[in-house]
Amino acid sequence: MATLSVTNKAPSLVGGAMIIGGTIIGAGMFSLPVVMSGSWFFWSLLALVFTWFCMLHSGLMILEANLNYHIGASFDTITKDLLGNRWNIINGLTVAFVLYILTYAYISASGSVIHHTFSQMNIDFPARLGGLLFALVVAFIVWLSTRAVSRMTTIVLGAKILTFFMSFGGLIWHVQPAVLFNTAEVNPSYLPYLVMTLPFCLASFGYHGNVPSLMKYYGKDPLTIRRCLLLGTLMALILYIFWLVGTMGNIPRPAFIDIAGKGGNIDVLVQALSGVLNSRGLDLLLTVFSNFAVASSFLGVTLGLFDYLADLFKFDDSPQGRFKTALVTFLPPIIGGVLWPNGFIYAIGFAGLAATVWAAIVPALLASASRKRFGSPHYRVWGGKAMIILILCFGAGNAIIHVLSSFHLLPVYK
Ligand SMILES: N[C@@H](Cc1ccccc1)C(=O)O
């Protein structure tokens, strides 16, 4: 979850859209080309658009329920009041789980990115050590203060956007239609691999913790907040489509088998891209971009986890209190990262599984309960009962798919 820096004046529409877009676009996108290599471009496009649609509307459902409460009321208050204690506990647990597993994913990802960066300078830097050091630096910043995180995030986010356009502009020019449309393979089969991509799409479109924060910033202004959600999620969708074209148009489908076999982490992907690009400058840009992309999500998500745990364990805001919070925030994922440095793809999948509870199932239940209790006078998501049922099925379907694929019951492209 991205951090929001508090300002006195109401932020512009673009500001809110950027907050949403910035939270959505994170390390999750690096898992997409790898897990989508089986279903390849067109089917994956369909999965992306479908997930975008459902995740946008589940976010709007949180807004619908949220508008019946005081400004500043967050997930916890709304869920407890509308759905009762049991749902609230399940909700809280899955929120914590997503944040923990993402922190672990970022440690694993940053280790891999650092390893790749150094290996370009012909230095062999172990990924485990890279992840550990990176996590310690982030832990230090988070321990310092929220303001330090906010400043760092601003710098990193700026650099991320800049390097994104510079490197992706380059990637797009290199796209070969024959590779993108996979004309070399005779009778390829794509459809069986489609469903297993969904939990990864879901994780990559996660932002829902920020909906209550938007109400804090704009007040009860459903129109503006709705526009922010629409713009922010659309921004992510368009960027992800570019990203798919850029990767699948440059790396042939069969080459992804090898990438997935090596753990599917970012360094392997970037290496495969630079192999086909043959351009030193682009290669460097891509490496710089992946560093910033991981760093900004890392900062945002761990700050969210830090605040959540501080509140949960009632650790105070003194340096010692913050130190204790930093320990419970970072120690478990660091241990995970040192023991299993290549779990990035798995972790993103599990984030999708847990996120489906609080980003799809609970929002649909909230909207339904809010209509019964309050009649949703401020704002009501269109589509009536059918939309609620669609989002519920989307959430439950994602959970089932993830469980099936954990037991190797779904076809995997290899
Ligand atoms: N969408 C983020 C992950 C995320 C999931 C759920 C909530 C917040 C963030 C990413 O791609 O990295």
Side-chain angles (χ1 to χ4, degrees):
M1 265 170 261
T3 42
L4 313 170
S5 51
V6 183
T7 48
N8 290 332
K9 46 181 199 270
S12 64
L13 180 70
V14 178
M18 287 298 275
I19 286 168
I20 298 297
T23 308
I24 299 179
I25 303 160
M29 67 178 265
F30 289 93
S31 71
L32 293 180
V34 183
V35 296
M36 288 177 162
S37 55
S39 51
W40 208 240
F41 184 58
F42 286 110
W43 288 111
S44 302
L45 204 61
L46 195 74
L48 270 184
V49 174
F50 176 64
T51 307
W52 163 78
F53 182 85
C54 293
M55 293 296 265
L56 168 62
H57 285 85
S58 67
L60 291 173
M61 287 175 182
I62 298 179
L63 175 65
E64 177 177 332
N66 205 169
L67 283 166
N68 299 306
Y69 292 85
H70 64 270
I71 289 174
S74 93
F75 244 105
D76 194 65
T77 316
I78 312 166
T79 318
K80 200 183 285 167
D81 190 49
L82 280 176
L83 303 177
N85 241 336
R86 231 195 19 225
W87 271 111
N88 194 34
I89 290 173
I90 298 176
N91 198 54
L93 280 179
T94 50
V95 171
F97 182 80
V98 170
L99 295 180
Y100 260 127
I101 199 95
L102 284 178
T103 306
Y104 161 72
Y106 294 143
I107 291 176
S108 155
S110 59
S112 128
V113 167
I114 290 172
H115 171 75
H116 176 72
T117 309
F118 275 101
S119 73
Q120 286 195 320
M121 298 177 235
N122 293 322
I123 303 171
D124 187 27
F125 198 89
R128 277 193 175 85
L129 187 62
L132 176 69
L133 291 180
F134 204 78
L136 289 180
V137 172
V138 172
F140 177 70
I141 298 171
V142 173
W143 171 76
L144 269 182
S145 68
T146 307
R147 189 193 251 147
V149 178
S150 164
R151 285 209 184 122
M152 279 302 286
T153 317
T154 314
I155 299 171
V156 171
L157 200 67
K160 173 166 149 182
I161 294 173
L162 202 73
T163 48
F164 178 84
F165 282 109
M166 286 161 70
S167 48
F168 286 77
L171 263 187
I172 294 294
W173 288 118
H174 279 81
V175 168
Q176 293 166 26
V179 175
L180 185 61
F181 302 127
N182 195 28
T183 48
E185 261 182 280
V186 197
N187 279 332
S189 96
Y190 301 125
L191 200 55
Y193 308 113
L194 181 61
V195 284
M196 60 83 71
T197 64
L198 285 176
F200 293 91
C201 292
L202 189 142
S204 306
F205 274 106
Y207 65 90
H208 298 64
N210 286 7
V211 178
S213 340
L214 280 192
M215 202 174 90
K216 234 166 148 178
Y217 283 100
Y218 291 104
K220 292 196 180 181
D221 181 358
L223 272 181
T224 310
I225 301 176
R226 202 182 67 181
R227 282 204 198 116
C228 287
L229 295 193
L230 182 68
L231 276 179
T233 55
L234 261 183
M235 190 156 84
L237 176 67
I238 292 169
L239 203 136
Y240 287 170
I241 293 176
F242 269 102
W243 172 231
L244 276 197
V245 175
T247 46
M248 292 184 174
N250 284 302
I251 307 174
R253 184 174 183 242
F256 274 101
I257 297 179
D258 191 39
I259 297 177
K262 287 181 184 156
N265 216 325
I266 303 180
D267 57 340
V268 193
L269 185 66
V270 172
Q271 202 168 15
L273 272 177
S274 22
V276 289
L277 291 178
N278 247 333
S279 141
R280 289 291 297 164
L282 205 52
D283 193 8
L284 183 70
L285 269 178
L286 209 60
T287 309
V288 175
F289 166 70
S290 46
N291 274 297
F292 283 125
V294 172
S296 75
S297 321
F298 200 169
L299 279 165
V301 165
T302 48
L303 184 72
L305 181 59
F306 185 95
D307 288 340
Y308 179 83
L309 291 172
D311 183 47
L312 191 70
F313 294 117
K314 306 275 176 285
F315 290 144
D316 60 19
D317 215 29
S318 66
Q320 293 92 322
R322 291 182 71 88
F323 185 73
K324 280 190 238 164
T325 317
L327 270 188
V328 282
T329 308
F330 288 95
L331 208 56
I334 283 182
I335 293 174
V338 170
L339 291 181
W340 304 282
N342 272 327
F344 171 67
I345 294 272
Y346 288 107
I348 294 288
F350 274 106
L353 173 67
T356 189
V357 175
W358 57 278
I361 298 175
V362 167
L365 296 177
L366 284 179
S368 161
S370 138
R371 281 173 205 183
K372 275 195 203 107
R373 170 105 57 98
F374 306 104
S376 291
H378 304 279
Y379 165 67
R380 189 184 270 240
V381 181
W382 70 284
K385 252 209 165 76
M387 186 65 86
I388 293 199
I389 292 172
L390 173 74
I391 302 300
L392 274 179
C393 293
F394 166 75
N398 257 292
I400 295 170
I401 291 167
H402 189 269
V403 171
L404 287 181
S405 76
S406 309
F407 287 106
H408 307 287
L409 293 173
L410 289 180
V412 177
Y413 176 58
K414 58 183 171 197

